[in-house]
Amino acid sequence: ITILIFFFLCPIINDYTSKQVTKDLLQVPLPEKTDVIEEFSRSGKLEGNGNGMQFFGAILIQSDLSLEELNEYYSDYRKTQWDYIVEEQNTQSIDVIEHGYDSFNAEVASQGYYIVYSWGKGLPPFEYFDLRGN
């Protein structure tokens, strides 16, 4: 029973971990002329080959600033090359995630939409025993 409970807890804890990545993005003050439209998080085998969990958090923002200005703004918050990445978002589809299809619910109909995302780290041993990482 203990083993079954452990395997049941792994996805719950890993989903919580990816939501924390998004929460960290939302704690950064927004630049001027910028609004958060939607937030997104997901954990699982999201890109690459082999086994392993990845933890992804993102926010969809609308801004009057350029991509270069947003990148410069968020560069102050980057601890690694995988934190606070800014890219233009021209569709609802979240193309950063390689495996599966994910999208924002909000309609992305014009220029000025950007995705800001980060990749997080999991909590051992839960990240190793989540079957979604295979």
Side-chain angles (χ1 to χ4, degrees):
I1 292 177
T2 303
I3 292 172
L4 288 175
I5 292 172
F6 179 75
F7 277 101
F8 178 74
L9 283 176
C10 286
I12 294 169
I13 290 171
N14 288 334
D15 287 345
Y16 176 79
T17 301
S18 63
K19 287 179 182 171
Q20 287 302 115
V21 175
T22 303
K23 185 178 177 183
D24 290 345
L25 288 167
L26 291 168
Q27 288 181 350
V28 171
L30 289 172
E32 292 182 19
K33 304 176 187 175
T34 302
D35 295 310
V36 172
I37 305 301
E38 191 173 334
E39 58 188 77
F40 178 84
S41 63
R42 183 165 168 223
S43 58
K45 182 64 187 165
L46 306 179
E47 66 174 23
N49 297 321
N51 295 331
M53 291 288 294
Q54 284 115 19
F55 304 90
F56 180 81
I59 55 174
L60 175 65
I61 61 172
Q62 186 175 21
S63 181
D64 292 338
L65 301 177
S66 70
L67 178 61
E68 293 78 24
E69 292 170 318
L70 289 168
N71 261 317
E72 183 177 330
Y73 178 83
Y74 280 103
S75 68
D76 293 340
Y77 298 97
R78 288 188 185 119
K79 297 174 189 160
T80 72
Q81 65 181 4
W82 307 111
D83 295 329
Y84 302 100
I85 301 166
V86 183
E87 295 181 3
E88 288 185 35
Q89 187 72 24
N90 298 317
T91 66
Q92 289 175 268
S93 176
I94 300 174
D95 296 331
V96 177
I97 297 176
E98 184 179 305
H99 297 293
Y101 176 79
D102 290 295
S103 65
F104 290 111
N105 293 323
E107 186 174 332
V108 179
S110 63
Q111 292 184 354
Y113 285 87
Y114 302 90
I115 183 172
V116 182
Y117 64 93
S118 292
W119 296 94
K121 294 183 180 183
L123 299 171
F126 302 103
E127 67 178 319
Y128 304 125
F129 293 101
D130 191 329
L131 298 178
R132 297 176 298 171
N134 297 321

